[in-house]
Amino acid sequence: MNHAIIGKSVTRTDLLGKVTGEARYAGDIDLPGLLYGKIKRSTVAHANIKRIDTSKALALPGVKAVLTHANVPRVLHAGSPHPRSASVTCDQYILDDKVRYWGEGIAAVAAVTEEIAELALALIEVDYEELPAVFTVEAAQLPDAPTIHQTGPGGNLVLAPVAFSRGDVARGFAEADLIIEGEYEGGRPTPAYMEPNVCACRWDGNGNLTVWISTQTAFMVRGIMAEVLGLPLHKVRVLVDHMGGGFGAKQDLFQHEFLCALLARETRRPVRMEYSREETFVGGRSRHPAKIWLKQGFRKDGTLTARQARVVFNSGAYGSHGPGVTIVGTSALLSLYRCEHIQLEGRCVYTNSPIAGAFRGYGVVQTYYALDIQMDEAAARLGIDPVELKLKNAVREGDIAPSNHALIGHGLEDCIKRGRELSGWDARRRQARPPTGALRSGWGLGCEMHGSSAYPGIQEQGNAIVKMNEDGTVVLLTGTAGLGTGAHTALAQIVAEELGVAFDDVSVVHGDTDVVPWDIGAFASHTTYMGGRAAQMAAAEVKRQLLARAARQLDVAPEELELGQGAITVRGDGMRGMTVCQAVMARKGVPAAQLVGTATYHPTKSYSFAAHYVEVQVDIETGYITVSQVIPVHEIGKVIHPVGAAGQIEGGIQQGIGHTLYEDYQIDLRTGRSLNANFVDYKMPLSMDMPPIHTVILETAPDPGGPFGAKGVGEDPIVAIGPAIANAVYDAIGVRFRHYPIKPEQVLQALARQAGTPTV
Amino acid sequence: MNHAIIGKSVTRTDLLGKVTGEARYAGDIDLPGLLYGKIKRSTVAHANIKRIDTSKALALPGVKAVLTHANVPRVLHAGSPHPRSASVTCDQYILDDKVRYWGEGIAAVAAVTEEIAELALALIEVDYEELPAVFTVEAAQLPDAPTIHQTGPGGNLVLAPVAFSRGDVARGFAEADLIIEGEYEGGRPTPAYMEPNVCACRWDGNGNLTVWISTQTAFMVRGIMAEVLGLPLHKVRVLVDHMGGGFGAKQDLFQHEFLCALLARETRRPVRMEYSREETFVGGRSRHPAKIWLKQGFRKDGTLTARQARVVFNSGAYGSHGPGVTIVGTSALLSLYRCEHIQLEGRCVYTNSPIAGAFRGYGVVQTYYALDIQMDEAAARLGIDPVELKLKNAVREGDIAPSNHALIGHGLEDCIKRGRELSGWDARRRQARPPTGALRSGWGLGCEMHGSSAYPGIQEQGNAIVKMNEDGTVVLLTGTAGLGTGAHTALAQIVAEELGVAFDDVSVVHGDTDVVPWDIGAFASHTTYMGGRAAQMAAAEVKRQLLARAARQLDVAPEELELGQGAITVRGDGMRGMTVCQAVMARKGVPAAQLVGTATYHPTKSYSFAAHYVEVQVDIETGYITVSQVIPVHEIGKVIHPVGAAGQIEGGIQQGIGHTLYEDYQIDLRTGRSLNANFVDYKMPLSMDMPPIHTVILETAPDPGGPFGAKGVGEDPIVAIGPAIANAVYDAIGVRFRHYPIKPEQVLQALARQAGTPTV
């Protein structure tokens, strides 16, 4: 099908505002009488608060209010955004008389300047009754471990262990010629979005609360805020204009957001609270550290016979997205590589550590890291080319995905094959590769599949309202979040294409819960897939009305009309027709009113695929690993905005390189204290560290449920890159790493072990 | 029918914000880098601008831009808001090289403070080539009168004369026993809204214009702004939050509004322009001064046999609403009192006077003043009680209204009859009334009818979007304007009633053209009638979806369900049911999304009626007329908010008393200079001047097209009060005044003439 706008890299609607500084973020909000809020944070990891004295803080001139557990509503609530979902855990208070991790908020101050608020924090006196603390999932699961929460199934579990199985795993292992098992471990990367968490709150005299906030989930903020504060939904207005990233972590509600609303209510003045960079670590959400025990059986020819896994996620001090991550991450092992006999168990464990939450790749980064490295191990043990082994077992059309939907097309095979060609994989394997000085080169392959929408336990829906103005220009009202990915540009393209108008003729209204239709938020790679499809459907409804008007005017049936490039013509008679603008105004002499279309879309589930071919250079003198090139091949259905999709892929690869090689948010395992909660000590790859990336996007399996066949791309790239690097490192130096990040000292130690040399 | 919310005087949604000062008006807009705009105004009434030198103004530190006719777009545009209506005249430039009235804007300045902008105005040098000026319709229509506009039909006519006729007027007069003719004249009252005209404009880097403005017609502002500035509609966003009145005048676009946008574009900074009180007169819009020659024939029994009229409206220097006012005001004489033979002519004439525009009562105030006074004259001449005469001729069910719609019900008769009872009219006429000192008491009756919606030449439509949240609370998105009348409260009542939820569960989003569906604006007493009906229809669509969900859940047909007070029950089985909230969430375990309903309503036309019984006291020593009590009886269909409706009636009466006795915006008839453009010299009745008003609202003829049968009430009260006062003055002192305002010196002069005493 020929598209006028879909598939074109139009200029993003948010571009100019961002480069000129005109774009407004929640942190830019300034209001008459604005106060500044700050949070006092715990200096111990696990304790009861025996006494908290705010009198000196309150006496400080300029301090307008101080909140502690003693004077905030005591409502047990969820921090994650599915209050009515099966996979949610309600385990948070706004402020509690118990502290569960080092850095947890225990009091909040509103003052006329940020400096006074900081000073007041220091004046709050706290006596703790310290409790034994646990920081690892092993320690937390010991019989005599301290109990972190009274809620939940006990034993410091966030939720009862989840299990998935298929076939008879014992039989599968019995049929195997080769059985491999191993333990794999993922560290604690954090999303490190550019824009720290920030919100501003104002109450009006009628008890209406307005919240300006950086969030991916405005309607969830509205819902949970309303619930915790005891307000009906229409009295809470959540506004999100531009955002500087979220990567999933901003799906949660954070302590300061409730406190900001409460401080504003208490002081009757607007209050703004903004995290420092340190607080984005301490009070933010990291990826779940995970341990995966994985065992698989293979026939000699590479056929998988059985897979068994136990996955344990470290949720930190609160449940947050733990249930969802456990279900999605564990069940992901049902798929990617076909296997008849599978048995999986997933656990999520409380520890006295910083909170883990939603993060791009959502549990799958961890489990596919294990799976894809083990496939590489098996290939080596079986003497089969890993590409061949993965191709042989790759899921394909009709296979049942973890969500119980049948897959469409052969995306994974397509990606693997295309990448094999482009990377010259086969030729290179036949060549000898002489080492160059201290550098050892290697190639690796990582694969993945990821679903758009269909978060477990909930059924999602997209909504849209489309208005066409008298001059044929169009406004889309959408609840989808624009966290910086260009989502609203893609949605405008979809609407323009459907209505046959120019891209510039469409504007997008978003980020105001009073105004736009409900949306679950930026989740699960589904914004373009689900929100875009809803927008397309609403546009189609406007188109229907428009063609009906034109048909009356032209005295033909609507089905005889064609719409495109701002014109409506009678099919087969290009001379008969009218402009879109004329059709809107079709009643003579009448100032025409807008056409309005609304739509609700209940998606099924769409899977995207990727194969990343990666070359690394390992310096055997320093242990330093350099990614020297990446050939990411993605099958994502119809591409709406090629540059936007490529940007997602490149950004995901950069983040994935960071997680695999550098990034790890660390705590002192004796005290729970954060060790590197800043951009000096927490190392991330910069643009200068990035390798050439030769992105290839396939459109071989468009999804009939997506707009024009589009599927998601947001999470794919961060998943495949990790095991590709680890496998390339093995290819380069023959050392198998089963964890991330892989650090230079670990490389040196492993090389020394390999050579039988004692290490320091 | 039993209503839970309709007919209850709930607390207005805008009340608290207004009394606390929290409500935000366009004049409250403050933006970083804001500049202040000011207009330089002409000191002559008619002239060509030979030279305009802005160099000294531009050189003043703090001045950022100066605009004159030489550097603004030269687009001939309409000031009135029906660019595509038959009854519009395009005769304005933003700034012209010709001046057509004293006080017209000829240049504009933007500066960093208001004071600097004012100083800069004084530094602009102008050389005029003065032209002969005309200030009266008589002078303007003389063959050698100067031509004010090159557009239009010529002869200083704004539009070709309009004519309406029925039957054979010569035959009608031949059948008459009594023929009365007279000339009637209306002055130049101005709306004197509390909030002066104000707007603020900002452009973003993408060329999108945001306009914060005090207007009744946000979408018309968008349309004309876009046209004049050459922008597509979706690039102009018009925002109106609260307003401090408009009374019709704020249906126009004003010079400063275009200039504000242009100054902002020129300076690349936001600009705010606010009228001084003087400018609300000079640069605002008054009621059209009018002269009505009216001739009627009567049989001895009071039956009307013929009516002939020539109406001439003084449009001032521009056309504005002249065409609409001429059509509506002239054609109004087709009705109110039945008559078989009618011949009417209406003219609208340019003069070098301040611009007349739309104003509550829209042409009808002038013509019904003439008609209702002449009916009183006829009654006196025929020896018939004026109430009897009016009752005998009053329009009734099935009569054809000026809009060609058949009337519903007998509203006018009902009003006249009820007022006769309540005022003790019949008993009093049988009593002798001894004079009390210098005071002479008299009673008079004034009648009117007024249509909601159906502005001539256009077909209107109401639009609404209603969203129901997960908890059953509701948001209405409406384009209707809230100029201070409580319109949005009434709309929220209608939505709450239709959906069976509490009034407090509904919030209203309005005043943002990007967001709300199109609306023509606050016009023609139609906001509740048309916008309310659209809101009701959109709510009904949500209700349909809601009951469908509940029906599935309860396993019954939707028709078997009843909705009310937040609950859905099976008809005849009160035990079976669910709450509205449960029904929204009807899919188990699923975070429910919003229900969204949209509706478009194409109204027909609805007429409301009123009879005002008024008592005056005339002081024969000072000539001072005091209105001592008013008994206004209004038939307006179903009343949505009784206190709101009564407030409209009382406010209209206060304005009408002002126009009839005090208010007249005067110009020097030699120079065209404004003489009383301020609240010291322009006299208005204050609250202390108000008589007791015993408002009675009848609901005897609900309109099937209105929400729950409601009709309009906005314009009715200002029409009937005027002739009631004039007729009461006649009753008190036997002097017939055929003009307004009736001033004390005129009373004294008339009394002297009556007594044969020479006057000073």
Side-chain angles (χ1 to χ4, degrees), chain A residues 16 22 84 204-205 222 233-234 461 467 469-471 504-505 513-514 516 518 585 587 593-594 602, chain B residues 16 22 84 204-205 222 233-234 461 467 469-471 504 513-514 516 518 585 587 593-594 602:
Chain A
L16 199 66
E22 213 171 52
R84 284 175 295 277
D204 74 13
R222 183 178 77 156
L233 291 174
H234 71 314
Q461 66 178 53
K467 301 191 302 175
N469 295 323
E470 308 95 285
D471 65 351
D504 285 341
D505 286 347
T513 55
D514 270 10
V516 298
W518 188 89
M585 313 267 292
R587 290 189 302 158
Q594 286 172 331
H602 295 287
Chain B
L16 200 65
E22 212 171 52
R84 284 176 294 276
D204 74 12
R222 183 178 77 157
L233 291 173
H234 71 314
Q461 66 177 53
K467 301 190 303 173
N469 295 323
E470 308 95 282
D471 65 352
D504 285 340
T513 54
D514 269 10
V516 299
W518 187 90
M585 314 267 292
R587 291 188 302 157
Q594 286 172 331
H602 295 287

Side-chain angles (χ1 to χ4, degrees), chain A residues 422-721:
Chain A
L422 293 171
S423 65
W425 180 275
D426 294 341
R428 200 176 41 254
R429 283 187 72 83
R430 287 189 296 269
Q431 291 170 353
R433 277 164 295 159
T436 314
L439 293 182
R440 299 290 175 273
S441 169
W443 280 80
L445 165 64
C447 296
E448 68 85 48
M449 59 189 279
H450 204 83
S452 304
S453 79
Y455 186 89
I458 62 163
Q459 193 173 338
E460 292 171 295
Q461 66 178 53
N463 291 288
I465 300 174
V466 170
K467 301 191 302 175
M468 181 172 270
N469 295 323
E470 308 95 285
D471 65 351
T473 58
V474 181
V475 181
L476 165 68
L477 279 75
T478 176
T480 57
L483 58 159
T485 58
H488 296 136
T489 298
L491 266 57
Q493 288 181 274
I494 289 165
V495 169
E497 183 77 46
E498 185 69 28
L499 284 170
V501 299
F503 172 71
D504 285 341
D505 286 347
V506 180
S507 65
V508 179
V509 171
H510 62 91
D512 181 345
T513 55
D514 270 10
V515 158
V516 298
W518 188 89
D519 191 272
I520 199 168
F523 255 91
S525 302
H526 73 189
T527 300
T528 301
Y529 174 69
M530 193 175 70
R533 182 56 187 269
Q536 185 186 19
M537 290 165 64
E541 167 57 21
V542 168
K543 180 173 157 181
R544 190 192 62 71
Q545 296 176 31
L546 185 70
L547 292 183
R549 284 195 183 191
R552 275 198 302 274
Q553 202 79 350
L554 295 168
D555 202 20
V556 296
E559 304 76 48
E560 295 177 58
L561 295 174
E562 279 182 328
L563 177 61
Q565 304 197 301
I568 298 166
T569 45
V570 177
R571 219 183 292 274
D573 181 1
M575 300 301 291
R576 279 178 73 200
M578 61 204 316
T579 64
V580 164
C581 177
Q582 286 170 328
V584 181
M585 313 267 292
R587 290 189 302 158
K588 210 164 185 273
V590 172
Q594 286 172 331
L595 304 176
V596 180
T598 66
T600 296
Y601 175 51
H602 295 287
T604 59
K605 177 96 174 179
S606 134
Y607 281 86
S608 298
F609 300 90
H612 285 196
Y613 287 78
V614 169
E615 184 187 35
V616 300
Q617 309 285 347
V618 184
D619 185 323
I620 58 169
E621 290 177 357
T622 63
Y624 201 82
I625 300 166
T626 307
V627 179
S628 48
Q629 64 171 312
V630 185
I631 301 170
V633 186
H634 284 253
E635 197 294 302
I636 57 172
K638 181 67 196 172
V639 178
I640 305 296
H641 190 292
V643 166
Q648 283 273 27
I649 291 167
E650 290 171 20
I653 287 171
Q654 181 158 5
Q655 251 178 340
I657 291 173
H659 300 178
T660 311
L661 299 178
Y662 316 113
E663 300 182 39
D664 200 17
Y665 172 33
Q666 291 185 308
I667 61 171
D668 182 327
L669 289 179
R670 292 158 304 170
T671 62
R673 192 169 68 84
S674 288
L675 296 176
N676 59 345
N678 59 70
F679 280 171
V680 175
D681 299 311
Y682 181 91
K683 299 294 184 190
M684 297 168 68
L686 305 180
S687 58
M688 295 295 289
D689 300 318
M690 285 292 282
I693 299 175
H694 313 286
T695 301
V696 178
I697 301 180
L698 307 181
E699 298 177 304
T700 53
D703 189 286
F708 299 97
K711 303 191 286 193
V713 65
E715 295 175 275
D716 300 315
I718 205 172
V719 181
I721 183 72

Side-chain angles (χ1 to χ4, degrees), chain B residues 660-707:
Chain B
T660 310
L661 298 178
Y662 316 114
E663 299 183 40
D664 201 15
Y665 172 31
Q666 292 185 312
I667 61 170
D668 182 326
L669 289 179
R670 293 160 304 172
T671 62
R673 192 169 69 85
S674 288
L675 295 176
N676 59 345
N678 59 70
F679 280 172
V680 175
D681 299 310
Y682 181 91
K683 300 293 187 190
M684 298 168 68
L686 306 180
S687 58
M688 295 297 288
D689 300 317
M690 285 292 284
I693 298 175
H694 313 287
T695 301
V696 178
I697 301 180
L698 306 181
E699 298 175 304
T700 53
D703 188 286

Side-chain angles (χ1 to χ4, degrees), chain B residues 398-422:
Chain B
D399 285 358
I400 299 305
S403 61
N404 281 324
H405 295 87
L407 295 180
I408 295 163
H410 301 266
L412 182 56
E413 292 173 274
D414 295 344
C415 289
I416 295 173
K417 287 177 181 166
R418 178 67 75 86
R420 177 166 63 178
E421 287 164 38
L422 293 171

